[in-house]
Amino acid sequence: MPKKQLVHHSVGAIIRKDDKFLLIERAVPPEGFSAIEGHIEKDESPEQAILREIKEESGLDVTTMRPLFEKTLYNNWCRHGATTHHWIVFECIVKGIPQATQESKSIQWYS
């Protein structure tokens, strides 16, 4: 019998201001530059998850959000052992000044 594949459900945020996009330099694996993203926790809706992730990773508050797309990605690993993620990506408008947190080495607007 084939081994059941572990699938995590995740959210991501495309945050744009003028002609720039907000990216973080991740402090935890997988390292590198990324949009704000994370796993959906048990009993949490995708909308609740993206609000929480944006606050945790940037200190920003979301004023408006809308879903952009939903897709399952294979060979998309994470430090928790999943190699498949079902993604829901939102376009978000935020308020506040972005600040690096425990999960990010830096956070900045990029063009």
Side-chain angles (χ1 to χ4, degrees):
M1 177 179 258
K3 185 179 177 183
K4 186 176 179 183
Q5 190 169 17
L6 178 60
V7 177
H8 282 173
H9 294 264
S10 301
V11 291
I14 305 298
I15 302 171
R16 189 173 80 188
K17 183 171 109 178
D18 301 320
D19 290 331
K20 296 184 177 188
F21 293 89
L22 187 65
L23 296 177
I24 63 169
E25 183 179 7
R26 295 178 55 88
V28 295
E31 294 183 21
F33 287 89
S34 168
I36 292 174
E37 49 82 15
H39 292 107
I40 300 172
E41 295 179 358
K42 185 180 179 185
D43 298 325
E44 186 176 52
S45 71
E47 293 80 9
Q48 291 168 323
I50 199 61
L51 292 172
R52 176 183 51 76
E53 290 292 347
I54 290 171
K55 189 67 167 178
E56 285 178 0
E57 295 185 19
S58 70
L60 295 169
D61 294 306
V62 176
T63 59
T64 306
M65 68 176 146
R66 72 177 179 96
L68 285 179
F69 69 89
E70 188 169 340
K71 183 173 180 135
T72 299
L73 295 179
Y74 303 92
N75 298 314
N76 183 231
W77 71 275
C78 73
R79 64 186 168 161
H80 302 291
T83 57
T84 300
H85 285 80
H86 182 80
W87 285 95
I88 301 172
V89 176
F90 293 88
E91 179 180 42
C92 299
I93 297 173
V94 296
K95 66 178 179 180
I97 298 171
Q99 300 191 17
T101 67
Q102 295 176 4
E103 297 187 27
S104 58
K105 294 177 186 176
S106 66
I107 186 167
Q108 194 168 327
W109 297 100
Y110 291 90
S111 55

